[in-house]
């Protein structure tokens, strides 16, 4: 396997688990397969592995239950926060259809906190629930931005305003992927704070009805942390490996 | 009940004994069936059989001919032997009276 063939095979094998990569590349070398045949073999295995992940519910939940709808809704919230900020600080006036209007500084703060908390909790759920299909979830979350960037004409506003949710969401994904522990107390406090602030915004007519869908990742985290505690863990979620093994063996 | 490829894999691994690992099993299957065996089919089937408790795998030694890469060693469990025997018996039973089996007996005699 000379030329660019072997590096291509090695590159595609990066999508496999470490031990499997070792075994497969060793088998290809031992069988003296051509680079083209090796590439076909590795790609076929990668495809089968990727397809296998989708037999479970988790990747569907992460991709179509959180990443896609949340990124669409959070883009709207980002826009709303930006418009309100512009109106309050720079005294810009927007047409009546803009998602801004009567909010004062307290509601701006409330929306800003909610935007960060919704984004972080959603990102955390996506990162922890299905790490192996994260690239699909990331692609799905980019889909609404392609549509929005093509259709929205934002006078006085940078297009970057649509992506205020991105940074906290990425932080959430990173922490979710690293299995950063969340105690029942912290998860419950986050979910309760989000709920109280949403009720407050809703009673001030400053919350779109569909934004209620953004609440469930926070409550999911709280429920998962609580369940982990009930099943004999340390009361944090995701479970540590020892707890997971103990619970699985029951 | 095992699938056809699962049976081939278990039988090849059992025949190789201590030397059963990915490339050797693949070579054995290809030689017996005269058909190509893809890495994807091989390794996903090994995983499935291991999950069912019919095989046990572990990472073995690295050799120079493999570019210093480790082998994935395979051993058939007692449950795997039992499942393969059941499959074989079923194939033998269902094949009784089949025209090709009779023809073969006729040609042989």
């Amino acid at each position: 396997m000379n030329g660019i063939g072997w590096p291509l095979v090695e590159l595609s094998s990066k999508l496999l688990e470490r031990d499997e990569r070792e075994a497969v590349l060793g088998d290809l070398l031992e069988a003296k397969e051509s680079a083209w045949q090796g590439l076909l073999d590795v790609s076929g295995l990668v495809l089968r592995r990727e397809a296998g992940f989708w037999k479970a519910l988790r990747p569907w939940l992460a991709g179509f239950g959180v990443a896609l709808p949340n990124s669409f809704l959070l883009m709207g919230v980002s826009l709303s926060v930006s418009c309100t900020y512009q109106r309050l600080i720079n005294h810009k006036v927007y047409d009546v259809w803009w998602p801004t209007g009567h909010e004062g500084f307290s509601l701006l703060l409330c929306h800003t906190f909610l935007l960060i908390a919704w984004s972080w909790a959603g990102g955390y759920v996506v990162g922890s629930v299905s790490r192996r299909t994260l690239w699909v979830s990331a692609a799905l979350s980019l889909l609404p931005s392609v549509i929005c960037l093509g259709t929205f004409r934002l006078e006085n506003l940078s297009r970057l305003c649509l992506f205020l949710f991105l940074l906290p969401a990425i932080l959430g994904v990173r922490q979710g992927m690293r299995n950063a522990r969340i105690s029942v107390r912290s998860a419950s406090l986050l979910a309760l704070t989000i709920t109280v602030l949403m009720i407050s915004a809703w009673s001030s007519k400053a919350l779109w009805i569909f934004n209620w869908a953004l609440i469930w990742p926070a409550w999911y985290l709280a429920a998962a942390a609580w369940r982990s505690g009930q099943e004999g863990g340390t009361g944090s979620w995701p479970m540590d490996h020892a707890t997971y093994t103990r619970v699985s063996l029951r | 009940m095992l699938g056809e490829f699962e049976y081939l894999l278990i039988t090849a691994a059992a025949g190789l004994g201590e030397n059963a690992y990915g490339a050797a099993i693949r070579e054995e299957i290809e030689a017996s069936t005269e058909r190509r065996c893809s890495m994807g089919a091989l390794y996903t089937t090994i995983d499935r059989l291991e999950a069912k408790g019919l095989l046990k795998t572990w990472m073995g030694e690295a050799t120079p001919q493999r570019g210093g890469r480790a082998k994935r060693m395979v051993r058939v469990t007692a449950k795997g032997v039992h499942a393969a025997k059941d499959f074989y018996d079923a194939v033998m039973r269902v094949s009784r009276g089949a025209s090709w089996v009779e023809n073969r007996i006729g040609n042989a005699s």
Side-chain angles (χ1 to χ4, degrees), chain B residues 1-4 6-7 49 52 54 83-91 93-94:
Chain B
M1 179 96 168
L2 292 176
E4 174 206 345
E6 290 176 332
Y7 175 75
L49 291 173
K52 288 181 187 172
L54 307 181
K85 191 176 177 310
D86 282 350
F87 182 90
Y88 178 77
D89 289 344
V91 169
R93 275 196 304 274
V94 81

Side-chain angles (χ1 to χ4, degrees), chain A residues 225-238:
Chain A
W226 179 79
R227 208 178 68 177
S228 161
Q230 289 293 105
E231 285 171 342
T234 51
S236 60
W237 190 79

Side-chain angles (χ1 to χ4, degrees), chain A residues 226-235 239 241-250:
Chain A
W226 179 79
R227 208 178 68 177
S228 161
Q230 289 293 105
E231 285 171 342
T234 51
M239 292 181 208
H241 182 69
T243 307
Y244 183 79
T245 310
R246 200 166 59 242
V247 169
S248 304
L249 287 173
R250 280 181 188 168

Side-chain angles (χ1 to χ4, degrees), chain B residues 33-59:
Chain B
T33 60
E34 295 175 354
R35 278 163 59 185
R36 206 178 167 277
C37 167
S38 76
M39 285 279 186
L42 182 78
Y43 279 102
T44 49
T45 308
I46 287 176
D47 280 358
R48 193 167 59 247
L49 291 173
E50 189 172 26
K52 288 181 187 172
L54 307 181
L55 291 181
K56 184 174 164 37
T57 73
W58 69 99
M59 292 308 285

